[in-house]
PDB file of all heavy atoms in Angstrom:
ATOM      1  N   SER A 168      89.581  59.040  77.348  1.00  0.00           N
ATOM      2  CA  SER A 168      89.759  60.303  77.974  1.00  0.00           C
ATOM      3  C   SER A 168      90.784  61.117  77.206  1.00  0.00           C
ATOM      4  O   SER A 168      91.821  60.696  76.743  1.00  0.00           O
ATOM      5  CB  SER A 168      90.300  60.066  79.380  1.00  0.00           C
ATOM      6  OG  SER A 168      90.696  61.196  79.951  1.00  0.00           O
ATOM      7  N   GLY A 169      90.457  62.503  76.980  1.00  0.00           N
ATOM      8  CA  GLY A 169      91.412  63.348  76.261  1.00  0.00           C
ATOM      9  C   GLY A 169      91.222  63.411  74.748  1.00  0.00           C
ATOM     10  O   GLY A 169      91.957  64.027  74.027  1.00  0.00           O
ATOM     11  N   GLY A 171      88.691  64.629  73.184  1.00  0.00           N
ATOM     12  CA  GLY A 171      88.067  65.861  72.672  1.00  0.00           C
ATOM     13  C   GLY A 171      86.524  65.932  72.895  1.00  0.00           C
ATOM     14  O   GLY A 171      85.875  66.811  72.296  1.00  0.00           O
ATOM     15  N   LYS A 172      85.970  65.074  73.675  1.00  0.00           N
ATOM     16  CA  LYS A 172      84.503  64.955  73.843  1.00  0.00           C
ATOM     17  C   LYS A 172      84.042  66.261  74.509  1.00  0.00           C
ATOM     18  O   LYS A 172      83.015  66.828  74.044  1.00  0.00           O
ATOM     19  CB  LYS A 172      84.166  63.743  74.713  1.00  0.00           C
ATOM     20  CG  LYS A 172      84.679  62.408  74.174  1.00  0.00           C
ATOM     21  CD  LYS A 172      84.204  61.252  75.036  1.00  0.00           C
ATOM     22  CE  LYS A 172      84.779  61.281  76.475  1.00  0.00           C
ATOM     23  NZ  LYS A 172      86.165  61.093  76.627  1.00  0.00           N
ATOM     24  N   THR A 173      84.601  66.619  75.657  1.00  0.00           N
ATOM     25  CA  THR A 173      84.143  67.812  76.431  1.00  0.00           C
ATOM     26  C   THR A 173      84.257  69.080  75.551  1.00  0.00           C
ATOM     27  O   THR A 173      83.333  69.825  75.482  1.00  0.00           O
ATOM     28  CB  THR A 173      84.914  67.977  77.738  1.00  0.00           C
ATOM     29  OG1 THR A 173      84.695  66.828  78.531  1.00  0.00           O
ATOM     30  CG2 THR A 173      84.538  69.212  78.488  1.00  0.00           C
ATOM     31  N   THR A 174      85.353  69.186  74.867  1.00  0.00           N
ATOM     32  CA  THR A 174      85.618  70.329  73.989  1.00  0.00           C
ATOM     33  C   THR A 174      84.464  70.468  72.957  1.00  0.00           C
ATOM     34  O   THR A 174      83.945  71.477  72.708  1.00  0.00           O
ATOM     35  CB  THR A 174      86.956  70.253  73.291  1.00  0.00           C
ATOM     36  OG1 THR A 174      87.979  70.016  74.370  1.00  0.00           O
ATOM     37  CG2 THR A 174      87.312  71.533  72.579  1.00  0.00           C
ATOM     38  N   GLN A 214      80.230  67.531  83.699  1.00  0.00           N
ATOM     39  CA  GLN A 214      81.107  66.487  84.214  1.00  0.00           C
ATOM     40  C   GLN A 214      81.453  66.889  85.630  1.00  0.00           C
ATOM     41  O   GLN A 214      81.745  68.054  85.926  1.00  0.00           O
ATOM     42  CB  GLN A 214      82.413  66.476  83.354  1.00  0.00           C
ATOM     43  CG  GLN A 214      83.346  65.369  83.661  1.00  0.00           C
ATOM     44  CD  GLN A 214      84.470  65.263  82.581  1.00  0.00           C
ATOM     45  OE1 GLN A 214      84.592  66.124  81.727  1.00  0.00           O
ATOM     46  NE2 GLN A 214      85.205  64.216  82.662  1.00  0.00           N
ATOM     47  N   ASP A 292      77.670  65.788  79.957  1.00  0.00           N
ATOM     48  CA  ASP A 292      79.080  65.466  79.900  1.00  0.00           C
ATOM     49  C   ASP A 292      79.398  64.429  81.007  1.00  0.00           C
ATOM     50  O   ASP A 292      79.501  64.848  82.144  1.00  0.00           O
ATOM     51  CB  ASP A 292      79.900  66.731  80.029  1.00  0.00           C
ATOM     52  CG  ASP A 292      81.432  66.470  79.730  1.00  0.00           C
ATOM     53  OD1 ASP A 292      81.773  65.343  79.442  1.00  0.00           O
ATOM     54  OD2 ASP A 292      82.164  67.440  79.759  1.00  0.00           O
ATOM     55  N   GLU A 293      79.547  63.206  80.654  1.00  0.00           N
ATOM     56  CA  GLU A 293      79.776  62.139  81.582  1.00  0.00           C
ATOM     57  C   GLU A 293      79.016  62.349  82.859  1.00  0.00           C
ATOM     58  O   GLU A 293      79.568  62.393  83.966  1.00  0.00           O
ATOM     59  CB  GLU A 293      81.308  61.994  81.897  1.00  0.00           C
ATOM     60  CG  GLU A 293      82.056  61.836  80.575  1.00  0.00           C
ATOM     61  CD  GLU A 293      83.484  61.326  80.779  1.00  0.00           C
ATOM     62  OE1 GLU A 293      83.673  60.562  81.774  1.00  0.00           O
ATOM     63  OE2 GLU A 293      84.377  61.651  79.940  1.00  0.00           O
ATOM     64  N   VAL A 324      77.822  62.496  76.460  1.00  0.00           N
ATOM     65  CA  VAL A 324      79.265  62.095  76.349  1.00  0.00           C
ATOM     66  C   VAL A 324      79.537  61.083  77.412  1.00  0.00           C
ATOM     67  O   VAL A 324      79.130  61.116  78.557  1.00  0.00           O
ATOM     68  CB  VAL A 324      80.135  63.360  76.682  1.00  0.00           C
ATOM     69  CG1 VAL A 324      81.557  62.914  76.916  1.00  0.00           C
ATOM     70  CG2 VAL A 324      80.151  64.263  75.410  1.00  0.00           C
TER      71      VAL A 324
HETATM   72 MG1   MG C 171      85.815  65.427  79.402  1.00  0.00          MG
END
Side-chain angles (χ1 to χ4, degrees):
Chain A
S168 171
K172 306 182 296 293
T173 298
T174 309
Q214 187 169 9
D292 191 357
E293 307 199 27
V324 164

